[in-house]
Amino acid sequence: MLHTQIKDELKNAMKAHDAAKLRTVRSMLTAFMNELVATNRKPQDILPDTDVLAVIKRLSKQRKESILQFDAAGRTDLSDPEKEELAILESYLPQMMSREEIRPIVEKKIAEMGEIDKSKMGMLIGSLMRELTGKADGADVKAVVEEVIGK
C-alpha cells in the first residue's frame, strides 16, 4: 500500500534531516487524512492506492499553479521550495506520457471519429482522457489536440 509506504517515508525523512521531504510527506499525510474524513472514513484508515494517487496528483497540480504564480511575481524565494516539493510529489506518481507519445493516439482517435472541428474538440479530449487516465496529463493531451486540429 502506497499510503503505508509514505507513512514510513516520514520516519526516514526525520532520520535523514531532509526538511523538504519531511515537509512534503507531512502535507501528503494531512491530505490523505482530509480525504478519509471527506469520504466518511476513519482518519486512521489506509487509503487505497487509487485514492492516494488522486490526492498526490491534486497536490502536484497545486504546486505547479503556485510555482507559476510565484515566478510571474518574481518571487523565486517562494517558488524554489514549491519546486522541491513538486519533485518529491512526482516521484510517487507513475511516469506520464510525453506529448510525442500522445500524438499518435490523438491522430488515431481523430481518424476513428472522423472530421473533427473546434466545436467537437471537447468530445475528443474527453474520449482521450478516459483512455489515457493516469497515463497522460490533461494539459498535454489538450495541447496535442489543439496542435493536430490547428493544422
Side-chain angles (χ1 to χ4, degrees):
M1 297 289 277
L2 196 53
H3 189 160
T4 309
Q5 176 189 343
I6 292 170
K7 278 186 174 181
D8 293 339
E9 291 288 330
L10 179 69
K11 296 171 196 162
N12 296 338
M14 287 174 146
K15 289 178 185 175
H17 301 287
D18 186 347
K21 185 153 190 166
L22 183 61
R23 185 176 61 241
T24 306
V25 170
R26 281 184 173 153
S27 73
M28 283 192 290
L29 291 173
T30 301
F32 297 160
M33 189 179 307
N34 290 341
E35 182 72 18
L36 286 166
V37 171
T39 55
N40 296 323
R41 292 181 266 185
K42 295 178 185 165
Q44 59 270 26
D45 287 349
I46 300 293
L47 271 178
D49 285 353
T50 55
D51 292 346
V52 168
L53 291 174
V55 170
I56 294 173
K57 284 179 190 173
R58 188 168 55 237
L59 292 172
S60 68
K61 184 177 179 183
Q62 290 171 350
R63 296 304 183 286
K64 288 176 185 175
E65 290 170 359
S66 296
I67 290 167
L68 285 174
Q69 291 176 359
F70 290 145
D71 285 345
R75 296 293 309 263
T76 56
D77 59 317
L78 296 175
S79 71
D80 289 343
E82 295 285 327
K83 289 175 184 173
E84 289 176 347
E85 291 179 19
L86 179 61
I88 294 167
L89 287 168
E90 288 180 340
S91 71
Y92 292 101
L93 293 173
Q95 185 65 36
M96 294 291 171
M97 296 172 74
S98 69
R99 289 185 180 189
E100 292 77 30
E101 294 171 318
I102 296 170
R103 180 177 288 279
I105 298 169
V106 169
E107 291 170 347
K108 179 182 172 196
K109 184 62 83 171
I110 289 173
E112 288 174 10
M113 294 178 75
E115 187 66 30
I116 300 288
D117 58 5
K118 292 195 186 262
S119 65
K120 294 183 182 176
M121 194 166 75
M123 284 181 9
L124 174 63
I125 292 173
S127 173
L128 286 164
M129 286 311 298
R130 281 189 292 280
E131 187 177 325
L132 299 174
T133 299
K135 299 177 190 169
D137 184 35
D140 288 338
V141 172
K142 182 178 183 226
V144 171
V145 167
E146 288 174 346
E147 285 174 19
V148 172
I149 290 178
K151 287 182 178 178

